[in-house]
Amino acid sequence: MVIARQPKRWAGLPIFALALALVAVVGSLSAINAGSEYMSLERPPWAPPQWLFGPAWTVLYVMIAISGWLAWSARGRTPALGVYAAQLVLNAAWTPLFFGAERYGLAVAEITVLWLAIVVNVVMFRRISRPAAWLLVPYLLWVTYAASLTIAIWRLN
């Protein structure tokens, strides 16, 4: 495996972790009152409890960071990492749109583009590293659910 032969690649893991931490910080700073706002919204009966978002995103961000690092470790800079970076930017943009600006319709459009970027990222990572691709699948599933929830909240509010 490439990682075992090139131990210096391990030094890249903190960079990917930092990138995901920045995405999380952008989201949290733009949604300081997100918990109370979420509770004030009309939500579908299948909406998750507020407390679930933090732990879910923490696990997903760890998986996303490891996924990017595995792809980078396998091939270095590739166009797939450009898609990876783009979907991270899209990920960071959803929270300010939804909670900060309360632009639910725009958040629906944005999360649709995010979902497509994740799909493209999974396909591209699969050609580089299957584990990197598989680590993005729970993220894709969660964003699928989040997109459905975003659409439902937009329609109810």
Side-chain angles (χ1 to χ4, degrees):
M1 183 175 213
V2 174
I3 297 168
R5 283 183 268 156
Q6 297 180 351
K8 67 181 179 184
R9 294 281 188 184
W10 284 98
L13 184 56
I15 295 167
F16 284 90
L18 179 61
L20 269 296
L22 289 174
V23 170
V25 166
V26 167
S28 65
L29 289 177
S30 63
I32 292 171
N33 296 320
S36 61
E37 185 176 338
Y38 178 73
M39 297 308 291
S40 72
L41 292 169
E42 187 72 27
R43 298 177 311 281
W46 46 268
Q50 172 192 351
W51 63 263
L52 183 62
F53 291 100
W57 276 111
T58 300
V59 170
L60 290 170
Y61 282 152
V62 168
M63 293 172 74
I64 296 164
I66 294 170
S67 173
W69 172 72
L70 284 173
W72 173 78
S73 294
R75 294 260 178 93
R77 286 191 202 170
T78 64
L81 285 179
V83 174
Y84 177 83
Q87 61 87 7
L88 291 182
V89 170
L90 289 164
N91 181 306
W94 182 88
T95 303
L97 284 174
F98 188 87
F99 287 112
E102 297 180 19
R103 301 287 310 268
Y104 306 133
L106 192 53
V108 168
E110 194 277 346
I111 203 167
T112 302
V113 175
L114 170 60
W115 187 89
L116 290 169
I118 297 167
V119 169
V120 170
N121 204 181
V122 169
V123 170
M124 292 179 85
F125 273 15
R126 187 174 184 276
R127 296 178 192 146
I128 296 168
S129 165
R130 286 182 188 231
W134 278 109
L135 282 167
L136 292 179
V137 171
Y139 174 39
L140 178 62
L141 294 173
W142 182 260
V143 169
T144 302
Y145 176 67
S148 300
L149 184 59
T150 302
I151 292 166
I153 289 173
W154 179 40
R155 294 181 76 194
L156 291 169
N157 294 275

